[in-house]
Amino acid sequence: MIKAGSRVKFVSDTGVGIVRSIKGNMAYVEVEDGFEIPALISDIVEVEIEEENAAIVKIGPSDPKPSAGGQAASPSDGTPKKQKATVRGLNNYGKVSLTDDYEDDEPIDLSRLRRSYAKQAEEEVDRTPAAPEKAPWEETDYLVKLLFVPTAESDKPAETADLEAWLVNDSSYSLFYHIARREQRGGGTFVRTIDSGTLAANSKQKVKLYRRAELAEISTLHISLLPYKATAFVPRAVEAFDLELHPLKFVRPANFVENDYFDAPALEFTLASSDEESNDAAPVIPTPTPKPAQKLVHTPAPKKSSRDEEVIDLHAEAILDSTEGMSPGEILQAQLARFSVALEGAVKSGGAAPKRMVFIHGVGKGKLRYEIEKLLKRSYPKLRYQDASFGEYGYGAVMVFLR
């Protein structure tokens, strides 16, 4: 067993030394020039007694012993000079000097030894376990984008080149998708399929090549998304919405920016994301505001305000002159401001205000409804609220009782 005072040699290098101290799994070995070298105990070997005395000449019963002066007597049996050389280094009977025993022609590179063992010691100490990988059903990242990218062979600027529409599924979910173009025919609204299919996780698919002349006629795309996994997974909402594409977006150079999916700059729209808070930030490129999907059930027109009930429509087109160039986050802030001003005014009016207020927020992705409930809980905890009557207002409305 290696302990303080043990004489050892290095496994991965030449040289020997004496162990001066041991701390944990590290031994501090003093080599011939007085330097102490840290070494893992697993990288040194104790020199056995037999190995240490390997150079000692075994003196038999008839062999002459060294003289009193310490010099070995010449063998009387005519031992050749070559064999006589094996007695070199005898300083006492049956002993050899350390210098002669471990004489090494190759010098020890102390700086290299220090670097080597310091690195090994650092690696030995750092035993931080790697973060366990998530199971497939624990992965909930979800991001779907639609990008318009200049064709590869085009040498024109992005704002004048033909564009390819690409659907990007940057998530751990597979995706059923359907992309169609809205059309007006015979007084009705219909959709014409552009592309549909399945998009694997973390992949992209070209939807269509648009010539520059066609871009002015796109107007509105109807998009449906259904995320899923082949194994157990956390379900996400099925989405169906309209994406309005204003022709001016395709001719402004600033709208084409660098992205993570193509070498060329692209016009980028976020269709769905698991990071709901990211929609509050104003991106460089306006992200589309999905409209509520067309429903088979009839949605009645909002009832006009009465003395007992006031109706506030929070749809963007009802409170803003134009949403051109506005991000979803900016539109959401305008809607919340309209809600806060209307409710605060009614609360301060006291008995002059109606008994209840109905705020029509629409269906969409539920972000506006979520923020309205947060405001009610935080700023108006005494007010009672509930879903408004479906028969009168459809799915997307909340009723607040003032008294």
Side-chain angles (χ1 to χ4, degrees):
M1 174 185 290
I2 296 176
K3 57 183 181 296
S6 297
R7 185 165 184 80
V8 296
K9 65 179 180 179
F10 299 101
V11 174
S12 58
D13 214 318
T14 57
V16 295
I18 298 174
V19 177
R20 293 305 181 192
S21 62
I22 296 177
K23 295 180 180 179
N25 61 349
M26 297 294 298
Y28 293 85
V29 181
E30 181 181 344
V31 294
E32 290 182 359
D33 57 0
F35 285 102
E36 279 192 7
I37 300 175
L40 293 172
I41 293 179
S42 59
D43 288 342
I44 57 177
V45 178
E46 185 176 11
V47 178
E48 302 293 340
I49 296 177
E50 292 79 4
E51 186 177 355
E52 186 174 350
N53 294 328
I56 299 176
V57 177
K58 296 180 179 179
I59 303 176
S62 59
D63 292 333
K65 293 179 175 55
S67 62
Q71 297 296 328
S74 299
S76 58
D77 57 354
T79 303
K81 290 183 179 181
K82 184 175 181 181
Q83 185 174 343
K84 292 178 184 179
T86 61
V87 300
R88 174 177 59 85
L90 286 172
N91 52 10
N92 286 300
Y93 176 62
K95 298 289 184 181
V96 295
S97 68
L98 294 178
T99 302
D100 289 335
D101 186 13
Y102 296 102
E103 191 172 19
D104 197 337
D105 294 334
E106 182 180 353
I108 300 174
D109 187 344
L110 296 177
S111 60
R112 182 167 65 86
L113 275 177
R114 290 192 187 96
R115 289 195 303 269
S116 173
Y117 287 110
K119 182 178 179 180
Q120 292 180 22
E122 182 179 347
E123 292 175 351
E124 185 70 19
V125 172
D126 185 11
R127 297 181 180 273
T128 305
E133 294 185 1
K134 290 185 177 180
W137 54 86
E138 295 176 318
E139 296 285 352
T140 58
D141 58 301
Y142 182 48
L143 179 62
V144 183
K145 295 188 176 186
L146 182 67
L147 282 78
F148 289 86
V149 189
T151 56
E153 64 275 7
S154 176
D155 55 356
K156 298 179 181 179
E159 65 272 16
T160 60
D162 296 336
L163 301 178
E164 293 176 343
W166 285 80
L167 185 65
V168 176
N169 180 18
D170 189 4
S171 69
S172 60
Y173 289 81
S174 295
L175 192 69
F176 287 124
Y177 69 92
H178 177 263
I179 301 177
R181 174 181 171 178
R182 282 206 173 275
E183 296 181 353
Q184 300 285 341
R185 287 179 177 268
T189 302
F190 303 89
V191 296
R192 184 183 297 275
T193 299
I194 297 174
D195 191 24
S196 63
T198 304
L199 191 58
N202 298 306
S203 64
K204 56 188 178 183
Q205 170 69 37
K206 185 169 77 171
V207 175
K208 180 178 171 59
L209 168 64
Y210 285 98
R211 299 298 179 186
R212 178 51 59 169
E214 296 179 87
L215 294 173
E217 302 175 0
I218 298 178
S219 181
T220 303
L221 296 180
H222 182 72
I223 300 174
S224 301
L225 304 174
L226 191 162
Y228 73 98
K229 293 185 181 182
T231 181
F233 66 96
V234 176
R236 305 205 67 88
V238 178
E239 300 184 77
F241 53 88
D242 287 346
L243 172 63
E244 294 184 358
L245 300 175
H246 197 284
L248 290 178
K249 293 181 179 179
F250 297 98
V251 296
R252 291 176 178 170
N255 286 356
F256 292 85
V257 297
E258 294 183 359
N259 57 88
D260 298 329
Y261 312 103
F262 298 93
D263 294 332
L267 175 61
E268 182 175 316
F269 298 91
T270 299
L271 305 182
S273 173
S274 57
D275 186 7
E276 295 293 343
E277 298 303 322
S278 66
N279 292 333
D280 294 340
V284 178
I285 299 301
T287 307
T289 306
K291 287 187 174 181
Q294 296 292 328
K295 297 184 178 295
L296 297 178
V297 297
H298 172 64
T299 302
K303 187 174 68 172
K304 293 184 179 180
S305 300
S306 65
R307 184 174 180 180
D308 291 335
E309 184 176 284
E310 183 179 357
V311 181
I312 306 293
D313 190 350
L314 297 179
H315 282 101
E317 58 269 21
I319 64 174
L320 298 170
D321 294 334
S322 173
T323 59
E324 179 64 29
M326 295 182 67
S327 72
E330 292 170 332
I331 295 173
L332 177 63
Q333 292 305 315
Q335 293 170 312
L336 292 175
R338 176 72 179 97
F339 167 81
S340 298
V341 169
L343 184 57
E344 185 66 19
V347 170
K348 290 181 178 179
S349 297
K355 294 181 180 179
R356 54 189 177 271
M357 300 184 72
V358 175
F359 294 93
I360 302 174
H361 51 73
V363 182
K365 296 184 178 181
K367 180 65 174 175
L368 179 56
R369 169 62 182 254
Y370 171 74
E371 294 296 337
I372 287 175
E373 289 187 355
K374 278 206 314 184
L375 278 174
L376 288 170
K377 292 176 181 178
R378 183 178 67 243
S379 303
Y380 305 95
K382 295 183 179 180
L383 295 182
R384 185 169 58 89
Y385 64 91
Q386 66 181 37
D387 287 333
S389 169
F390 169 71
E392 296 180 1
Y393 304 102
Y395 285 111
V398 60
M399 178 180 289
V400 181
F401 295 88
L402 301 180
R403 60 180 186 273

